[in-house]
Amino acid sequence: MTGQRDYEIFEAGDVTLQSGAVFPAMKLAYKTYGTLSAAKDNVILYPTSFSAQHFDTEWLIGPDGVLDPTRHFIVIPNLFGNGLSSSPSNSGDGPFPLVSYHDAIAVQHRLLTERFGITKLALVYGWSMGGMQTYHWAALHPDMVARAAVVCGSARCAPYNHVFLESVKAALSGDPAFRNGRFVEKPTAGYRAMGRVYAGWAMSHGFYRDELWREAGFTSLEDYLVRNWDTTFARRDANDLLAQAGIWQRGNISACAAFGGDLDRALAAITAHMLLMPGATDRYFDVRDNEDELPRLVNAKSAVLHPIPSQHGHRAGNPVNNPRDQAFLRAEVAALLAK
């Protein structure tokens, strides 16, 4: 994390994790967009998703985007394990401690309060692992979060979702470069295997049936798999990917001393205006998880379930080159911010 960069570092110092382990000199990378108002009441927190760094998700920010930096001060905190914040790839060769979403939110909270003096969030918005962080924020800091948009995310990692991640981890770690619990070099075959597994889970049956990959300029199914998935994860350190998959699998807003594993209690702690936007065809963050959570948000100021009507599966929540799904997200977030 040296040299030219377009982001800032929050030095959290030695952090005692939820596991009880101490993480020395923990670092949180972040980037801000827009201007913080004098009242500090225009803040949107936008946590990152699996393997993403802030520049992968900032396409959504713009005057005509889902999040408008001319009206809001937007903060993207990079999740631990993504290669910018503290991760296996930049924290030495020893075993990387078990980090949880609770640990991530604790350091993000320190960033907002200690560096900026922020005590209120107009909105927390997140997709996938970012959506799970959004749920954690709403439950752990209900006094701060006015609104929360959970996009293709859930309050805890469902068993089916856990199994999906087991297949991803097995595909990656099956590479011979994985030795004694750690990758000692780039797992070229493992990256490709992981991408092929991900391609089947991330997109829907209808996406492939209707050959929607053609809309993005791919000439054949194999062309789509090779150019879109075979190397998509090779840009990230493989040990980082495994660390983030672990955070994802352990995700559960109630798995802390405050809630004692009681999900009903954790969901009841939420007082924000809640917008749950699962992908209608998402295979691992299934709509049914949000359907189960919705009636348990008993103290939320409002709580609505608006599935994204898309054949793009999980990627409906990150529609970089998909104007239809972008328009849906933009309209839903605008309505949420108007509450």
Side-chain angles (χ1 to χ4, degrees):
M1 293 190 289
T2 59
Q4 191 71 27
R5 64 177 187 231
D6 71 338
Y7 58 91
E8 302 298 323
I9 294 292
F10 175 69
E11 304 277 358
D14 294 350
V15 174
T16 300
L17 303 176
Q18 197 179 30
S19 67
V22 175
F23 196 118
M26 205 165 193
K27 297 177 174 61
L28 175 65
Y30 69 95
K31 187 173 179 181
T32 65
Y33 309 77
T35 302
L36 182 61
S37 65
K40 299 184 179 181
D41 60 356
N42 68 332
V43 183
I44 293 177
L45 189 71
Y46 178 24
T48 56
S49 52
F50 179 66
S51 81
Q53 298 177 348
H54 61 271
F55 54 81
D56 295 310
T57 58
E58 63 187 2
W59 65 269
L60 182 143
I61 298 171
D64 298 317
V66 177
L67 305 179
D68 184 356
T70 67
R71 297 180 56 205
H72 291 98
F73 180 65
I74 302 163
V75 182
I76 298 184
N78 286 269
L79 181 59
F80 297 118
N82 82 339
L84 296 182
S85 293
S86 290
S87 307
S89 62
N90 58 33
S91 300
D93 295 330
F96 193 71
L98 294 181
V99 177
S100 70
Y101 285 126
H102 290 80
D103 297 323
I105 273 59
V107 178
Q108 291 171 20
H109 182 267
R110 286 184 55 196
L111 164 71
L112 295 178
T113 56
E114 294 176 19
R115 180 151 294 184
F116 296 105
I118 292 167
T119 58
K120 296 290 183 182
L121 293 170
L123 172 68
V124 184
Y125 176 101
W127 169 67
S128 193
M129 285 187 81
M132 297 181 83
Q133 290 172 80
T134 298
Y135 240 136
H136 280 69
W137 260 102
L140 295 168
H141 298 287
D143 56 324
M144 283 187 69
V145 181
R147 304 167 190 84
V150 178
V151 185
C152 300
S154 61
R156 60 183 175 184
C157 183
Y160 194 69
N161 200 336
H162 183 96
V163 170
F164 154 64
L165 290 166
E166 284 298 299
S167 68
V168 167
K169 287 160 46 180
L172 182 61
S173 60
D175 191 286
F178 188 68
R179 301 171 203 159
N180 300 317
R182 186 176 178 87
F183 292 96
V184 296
E185 57 191 36
K186 279 189 171 293
T188 304
Y191 284 134
R192 182 179 183 276
M194 178 180 174
R196 292 283 170 136
V197 168
Y198 229 102
W201 282 82
M203 315 308 291
S204 74
H205 178 276
F207 175 86
Y208 289 109
R209 178 197 61 214
D210 298 340
E211 299 185 348
L212 296 183
W213 37 264
R214 292 190 184 278
E215 296 178 353
F218 297 101
T219 58
S220 67
L221 178 58
E222 184 64 13
D223 181 43
Y224 168 71
L225 293 174
V226 169
R227 290 200 286 134
N228 196 68
W229 289 105
D230 279 4
T231 60
T232 191
F233 296 107
R235 62 193 181 137
R236 296 289 175 256
D237 179 88
N239 293 303
D240 290 355
L241 293 172
L242 286 185
Q244 285 210 325
I247 296 172
W248 183 344
Q249 286 184 308
R250 293 187 295 274
N252 182 340
I253 64 171
S254 70
C256 61
F259 304 123
D262 187 337
L263 186 64
D264 285 333
R265 185 178 165 195
L267 290 169
I270 294 172
T271 58
H273 292 285
M274 294 295 293
L275 171 60
L276 306 182
M277 282 195 291
T281 57
D282 194 337
R283 298 185 62 201
Y284 44 91
F285 283 104
D286 193 280
V287 174
R288 287 167 289 189
D289 292 327
N290 287 165
E291 288 175 343
D292 181 60
E293 295 156 0
L294 186 67
R296 299 151 88 175
L297 294 166
V298 292
N299 292 312
K301 292 183 179 67
S302 66
V304 295
L305 174 68
H306 291 169
I308 307 166
S310 172
Q311 293 282 15
H312 284 255
H314 187 60
R315 289 297 177 93
N318 187 41
V320 181
N321 298 308
N322 181 346
R324 290 189 298 272
D325 294 348
Q326 281 185 36
F328 183 87
L329 294 179
R330 189 163 51 247
E332 290 289 335
V333 170
L336 177 62
L337 285 169
K339 292 184 176 180

